[in-house]
Amino acid sequence: MTKQYSLKNLPPGSKGPFSGPRGRSIPKGFRRHVAMRITLLSLLLLCLAAATPARAELHITRDHGGYVEEYKAKYKRVREKGERVIIDGICNSACTLVLGIVPMNKICVTPRASLGFHQAYYDKAFTFGIKVTSAEGTSDLMSYYPDKVKDWIRRNGGLTTDMKKIKNGVELWKIVDPCPEEW
């Protein structure tokens, strides 16, 4: 059993907590060397953890849309980070921009997924609370969609003021792959 000493009552001749075996003092240079190696090892492990691809994902469950520019910025960040997107519920209006901004191989749908498309509107704050469609905004939306989405919209009468929904099933799977089990 070894004795524990505090710095206050060290035995006579002791070099303190920085003494090695047989009471010899550990040189300051060696202590610095060990501390630096531990720090470098810690930094290396931190870098390795940061470089490991994260399994980050955006989980869409109930998104009714909003401002187009905000969605463009959001999905651009998702794309740049290489994140996956799981559509697991409602994705309407500006939410559907995900299909044109994030690579399709990073997007999947669950059995609860549904997509809703309509014409773009001006902000009601500027139109006295009245829904006023925007031809320019609608054209901008359409420019982002991949051909499979544009084809579905055309086959279903184009974008109108009414929400056109596509629910989970074969028709949706022609546009977006169903999520694999591990997602």
Side-chain angles (χ1 to χ4, degrees), residues 4-12 14-19:
Q4 296 292 323
Y5 295 102
S6 74
L7 291 176
K8 292 180 182 174
N9 52 353
L10 290 172
S14 173
K15 304 281 187 201
F18 299 112
S19 60

Side-chain angles (χ1 to χ4, degrees), residues 43-116:
L43 285 172
L44 178 64
L45 290 173
L46 183 63
C47 288
L48 284 174
T52 303
R55 292 187 54 100
E57 41 191 53
L58 172 63
H59 209 94
I60 299 171
T61 56
R62 188 178 300 165
D63 192 327
H64 296 283
Y67 294 107
V68 169
E69 294 306 317
E70 289 176 10
Y71 279 83
K72 287 179 185 178
K74 174 183 175 178
Y75 294 143
K76 182 180 177 194
R77 286 190 301 272
V78 168
R79 180 187 66 216
E80 288 170 355
K81 290 180 182 178
E83 293 179 5
R84 299 181 304 185
V85 177
I86 298 170
I87 302 174
D88 188 28
I90 298 167
C91 178
N92 289 346
S93 194
C95 175
T96 62
L97 282 168
V98 69
L99 303 172
I101 298 173
V102 175
M104 291 300 281
N105 66 351
K106 294 283 190 175
I107 305 171
C108 70
V109 292
T110 71
R112 291 180 292 277
S114 74
L115 303 174

Side-chain angles (χ1 to χ4, degrees), residues 112-132:
R112 291 180 292 277
S114 74
L115 303 174
F117 303 91
H118 65 81
Q119 289 177 324
Y121 294 98
Y122 288 103
D123 186 343
K124 287 197 264 180
F126 302 111
T127 59
F128 306 104
I130 301 167
K131 273 189 174 180
V132 178

Side-chain angles (χ1 to χ4, degrees), residues 1 23 28 40 46 51 72 74 78-79 138 147 152 174:
M1 179 179 208
K28 282 186 182 179
L40 287 173
L46 183 63
K72 287 179 185 178
K74 174 183 175 178
V78 168
R79 180 187 66 216
T138 300
D147 289 336
W152 184 88
K174 288 179 183 176

Side-chain angles (χ1 to χ4, degrees), residues 150-170:
K150 290 177 187 176
D151 291 342
W152 184 88
I153 290 170
R154 283 188 197 108
R155 283 193 317 271
N156 288 275
L159 292 182
T160 64
T161 56
D162 295 326
M163 184 75 69
K164 296 191 178 182
K165 292 190 176 195
I166 180 170
K167 295 190 180 205
N168 191 52
V170 177

